[in-house]
Amino acid sequence: MSRHRPLKAALIYGYEPSGHSSAAQAIAEELPSELVEPVHVNLSSVFPSFGPFVARAYLQVLKKTPAVWSYAYDNSLLSLAAKSLRGAVLPYYSRRLAAYLHRRGVKAVISTHAMACQMLSADGGGTPHGPLFAVVTDFRAHSYWPGRGVKAWFTHDRAGSDDLRKNGAPAERIFACGIPVRKGFAAPRSREAELLSLGLDPRLFTVLLAGGSKGLGELEEAASALRPLLGKIQLLVLCGENRRLSASLEKMLGGKKHARVFNYCKDTSPHLAAADIVAGKPGGVTAAESLALIKPLFIFAPLPGQEERNADFLARRRLALKADTAAELAQLVKRAAGEPGMLDPMKKAIVQYSRPRAARDIAARVLEELYRPEQGNFRCGRCQEPGGRPSFEKGRKTC
């Protein structure tokens, strides 16, 4: 490892905007600039044709035959076949990505996307430029995360760690730090102040409908079912980049005193802070952001595969309630709005699972791995002698 400062570390994600990119940004915010220079790498930009093709194929399968995706995702035989295919195809992309990182002067990689980890780990046939760190941004780790060639894996808790061990990852290299969220979600926020800033009434029960960066998850059906409750509740809808959805919802809710529809917002922390509950599909990062702000989750229309696993994880730990239909969601919301104490047990459970400082803890562990004193890689900023180490609290070099 180079002794020159700062060291360039790539933060790799699949596309932007996404939960993967938000998690990467959260970690980058916690890396001290005098030690690490973050290099953000969007796989869809590195491989302009490959990334959009995969995204389009995924969305088409979800739209037309979601059962096929669920089967393919969970079927171990198909997973084995996919790994065999990666052995034939992935090395090509691995070499291209490795060359790209070399040109950027990258000396370490932090990946929030399983595909990038496959490309750069021993499983993918590539050779990482320095250590490779894997950050799982869901509550369970699927079988596509590599089990070798990674310096350290980061998961939310023991469930994700157990999944990685089944993939072959050594237990001593797995750290349950949480799913990283940006700083706006890591500090307490005033619900009343955020509602007033949005022009809404702090006295009304407020529901946030969220569909992730792509505005997925049957939000129109949910908004339609909740519309008769407006006046007794308030409704915020985050449509992401889905312009068709936002236009449709504006027709449905436009002019309503107690409803707001938003296109893509770079920072959604004010909207989550304003809500009493967060409803919609349980993307890993959105769910982690909700837990960080102690907001109960009402799960509706999870996408097949990983989000279904997130839904099961959250529901079994009483961190969320599940609604199978839009009508069931409306009934749950109506009950929660009318029974102030209904959400209290969920909030108590959420406190136990909330990890608002996950990004800081991941960054600190990465720094420890990059600048181990015994390797002679770290020189103290005060005395310039080897043997200093990053502080876990502040992520800065100390004697």
Side-chain angles (χ1 to χ4, degrees):
M1 194 75 62
S2 171
R3 297 191 183 195
H4 297 291
R5 303 292 182 267
L7 176 150
K8 286 189 176 183
L11 292 112
I12 305 183
Y13 43 89
Y15 57 89
E16 191 174 8
S18 66
H20 299 122
S21 64
S22 179
Q25 181 61 43
I27 297 169
E29 290 174 349
E30 298 291 348
L31 294 170
S33 58
E34 68 269 29
L35 292 178
V36 177
E37 177 186 340
V39 178
H40 293 272
V41 179
N42 181 344
L43 280 184
S44 295
S45 296
V46 179
F47 307 114
S49 59
F50 179 70
F53 169 76
V54 172
R56 285 195 302 270
Y58 168 66
L59 293 175
Q60 285 297 315
V61 171
L62 287 180
K63 182 178 179 180
K64 295 181 179 179
T65 52
V68 171
W69 176 259
S70 291
Y71 179 78
Y73 192 93
D74 293 321
N75 187 282
S76 58
L77 181 61
L78 289 179
S79 175
L80 180 62
K83 287 183 178 180
S84 298
L85 180 63
R86 286 200 300 273
V89 176
L90 207 58
Y92 167 75
Y93 291 101
S94 297
R95 289 191 294 271
R96 287 186 58 186
L97 181 57
Y100 176 86
L101 297 177
H102 178 73
R103 290 194 300 271
R104 299 290 299 271
V106 167
K107 301 301 180 183
V109 174
I110 304 168
S111 177
T112 60
H113 198 279
M115 178 65 76
C117 275
Q118 286 286 354
M119 289 180 181
L120 295 174
S121 71
D123 285 352
T127 301
H129 290 272
L132 170 63
F133 301 93
V135 181
V136 180
T137 57
D138 288 290
F139 296 95
R140 303 299 301 266
H142 53 66
S143 61
Y144 297 93
W145 284 98
R148 56 195 179 98
V150 175
K151 184 72 170 179
W153 291 259
F154 300 99
T155 65
H156 180 77
D157 73 349
R158 187 174 63 184
S161 300
D162 289 343
D163 294 333
L164 287 175
R165 283 196 290 272
K166 292 177 183 177
N167 290 356
E172 67 274 13
R173 306 310 303 161
I174 304 172
F175 304 94
C177 296
I179 296 171
V181 300
R182 300 188 66 178
K183 290 181 178 179
F185 300 93
R189 306 280 288 267
S190 168
R191 171 187 172 276
E192 291 74 15
E194 300 295 355
L195 283 170
L196 288 172
S197 71
L198 295 170
L200 294 172
D201 189 345
R203 296 169 296 179
L204 285 180
F205 188 85
T206 304
V207 178
L208 175 70
L209 277 179
S213 63
K214 299 299 182 185
L216 303 175
E218 302 180 21
L219 295 189
E220 285 185 79
E221 291 85 345
S224 179
L226 293 173
R227 183 171 54 175
L229 300 179
L230 292 176
K232 297 179 181 179
I233 70 166
Q234 295 175 129
L235 182 62
L236 308 177
V237 188
L238 297 178
C239 298
E241 295 186 313
N242 192 335
R243 294 283 181 172
R244 185 204 62 78
L245 173 66
S246 63
S248 177
L249 289 176
E250 283 289 358
K251 290 181 181 179
M252 180 193 302
L253 302 172
K256 296 289 185 181
K257 180 179 179 181
H258 302 296
R260 298 285 186 277
V261 177
F262 299 90
N263 288 312
Y264 171 70
C265 301
K266 189 171 184 179
D267 180 13
T268 60
S269 60
H271 308 82
L272 267 72
D276 289 290
I277 65 165
V278 177
K281 69 185 196 68
V285 173
T286 298
E289 291 169 346
S290 303
L291 297 183
L293 291 172
I294 318 300
K295 303 295 180 178
L297 291 151
F298 283 19
I299 296 171
F300 173 66
L303 298 182
Q306 196 64 15
E307 288 192 358
E308 290 178 333
R309 294 185 179 185
N310 286 343
D312 289 340
F313 176 95
L314 295 164
R316 287 179 181 178
R317 289 156 180 80
R318 301 183 180 179
L319 308 174
L321 297 175
K322 294 171 68 175
D324 293 328
T325 66
E328 286 184 20
L329 175 64
Q331 287 299 315
L332 284 175
V333 169
K334 182 178 181 180
R335 181 185 164 201
E339 301 178 22
M342 173 186 165
L343 299 177
D344 290 344
M346 291 178 65
K347 290 180 179 179
K348 289 181 180 178
I350 288 171
V351 170
Q352 302 300 315
Y353 279 89
S354 176
R355 304 287 188 272
R357 302 294 178 183
R360 180 198 63 184
D361 294 341
I362 291 170
R365 176 64 68 176
V366 167
L367 290 175
E368 184 178 41
E369 295 293 340
L370 291 178
Y371 296 107
R372 284 187 177 277
E374 62 270 21
Q375 295 176 347
N377 294 321
F378 189 81
R379 290 184 179 274
C380 177
R382 295 180 182 177
C383 61
Q384 295 300 310
E385 291 296 328
R389 65 182 292 157
S391 162
F392 258 60
E393 282 301 311
K394 298 182 179 179
R396 296 192 178 276
K397 51 190 178 182
T398 59
C399 289

